[in-house]
Amino acid sequence: MGPPLPLRVRLWAAVMLVLVLSAAVAPASVGTPSEDYVADEAEHQGVDMVFDDYRGKGCVDDSGFVYKLGERFYPGHSNCPCVCTEDGPVCDQPECPKLHPKCTKVEHNGCCPECKEVKNFCEYRGKTHKILEEFKPSPCEWCRCEPNNEVHCVVSDCAVPECVNPIYEPEQCCPICKNGPNCFAGTTIIPAGIEVKVDDCTICRCHNGDWWKPAQCLRRECLNGQALS
């Protein structure tokens, strides 16, 4: 075994060893793209390959279906047709007529909604009536089915009966004085227009036109219920 190497020689040998080890590790970690980066690039390239550019070649609807130039199709849920052109879909956009406000049945088969049935009747208290039909829902009501499908009614205005005992007849709106005008003389009902002897000592008469007022009565002097002459 020879004499030991000088200190300067040993330091130089240690430095060279470190450089050799660094050179051996560097090729594996420096200058090489990471696996994640490679995967991202591959995925990005895959998207570009799946979704081709159909501009000038065809049209694609919402579901991804491709149509040829000149072909007619209906995009999405629309009932208005489109034509595939080099500039993209050209779709019909007509000014649809307004639907009748009383339309009861609408069809959407065409590009514009179409009214198939218009309400031509009125509903009143659970019954239907034709336009311009006149009817009486009660003895005191007169009604008519108007063209706007609304019912217009008029209630009869009854005159005040000229008696104290009016009666209601079936199917008649206003009460009637079946026995003519009358009034009360005490508790007795007497006819109007004449003098009525309610007892041997009293003669009464209804006020003219004022049937609701008590009758005008004239009492004579009586003895034991008999009028004195």
Side-chain angles (χ1 to χ4, degrees):
M1 185 171 180
L5 295 175
L7 177 60
R8 183 174 56 184
V9 174
R10 285 181 289 171
L11 291 176
W12 179 84
V15 170
M16 292 300 295
L17 179 61
V18 171
L19 292 177
V20 171
L21 292 176
S22 298
V25 174
S29 59
V30 178
T32 303
S34 65
E35 294 182 359
D36 292 340
Y37 179 78
V38 174
D40 291 343
E41 280 294 311
E43 182 179 358
H44 179 67
Q45 293 176 0
V47 171
D48 291 341
M49 293 176 63
V50 172
F51 293 95
D52 293 335
D53 187 358
Y54 288 98
R55 285 176 295 181
K57 305 175 184 179
C59 302
V60 183
D61 64 7
D62 297 341
S63 61
F65 193 86
V66 180
Y67 297 89
K68 299 178 182 178
L69 294 178
E71 191 173 359
R72 292 170 62 89
F73 64 98
Y74 294 86
H77 300 287
S78 174
N79 289 321
C80 295
C82 297
V83 177
C84 181
T85 69
E86 292 184 355
D87 297 325
V90 177
C91 303
D92 292 344
Q93 295 181 347
E95 293 185 4
C96 296
K98 293 183 179 180
L99 295 176
H100 194 284
K102 297 296 182 179
C103 185
T104 57
K105 184 178 181 181
V106 181
E107 289 187 357
H108 299 274
N109 296 329
C111 187
C112 292
E114 185 178 358
C115 181
K116 289 297 184 180
E117 184 176 332
V118 177
K119 183 179 178 181
N120 58 354
F121 59 89
C122 299
E123 295 182 14
Y124 189 74
R125 295 181 181 176
K127 296 182 179 181
T128 59
H129 303 274
K130 297 180 181 179
I131 299 296
L132 302 182
E133 179 184 352
E134 297 179 359
F135 58 95
K136 292 184 68 176
S138 69
C140 291
E141 286 182 287
W142 175 87
C143 299
R144 173 176 171 171
C145 177
E146 301 293 347
N148 61 355
N149 304 109
E150 295 181 358
V151 175
H152 179 70
C153 295
V154 176
V155 179
S156 300
D157 186 11
C158 296
V160 179
E162 296 182 345
C163 60
V164 295
N165 58 347
I167 62 173
Y168 286 88
E169 293 285 357
E171 301 302 322
Q172 289 189 358
C173 175
C174 300
I176 60 173
C177 296
K178 199 166 186 179
N179 297 318
N182 55 38
C183 67
F184 277 113
T187 58
T188 303
I189 298 176
I190 64 174
I194 60 173
E195 290 184 349
V196 178
K197 187 177 181 181
V198 296
D199 57 41
D200 291 337
C201 300
T202 308
I203 297 177
C204 299
R205 185 184 182 93
C206 292
H207 291 272
N208 291 331
D210 297 335
W211 57 268
W212 61 89
K213 294 182 179 180
Q216 293 176 322
C217 296
L218 177 63
R219 292 182 61 83
R220 298 180 179 178
E221 294 183 5
C222 295
L223 180 62
N224 298 325
Q226 296 291 326
L228 299 177
S229 58

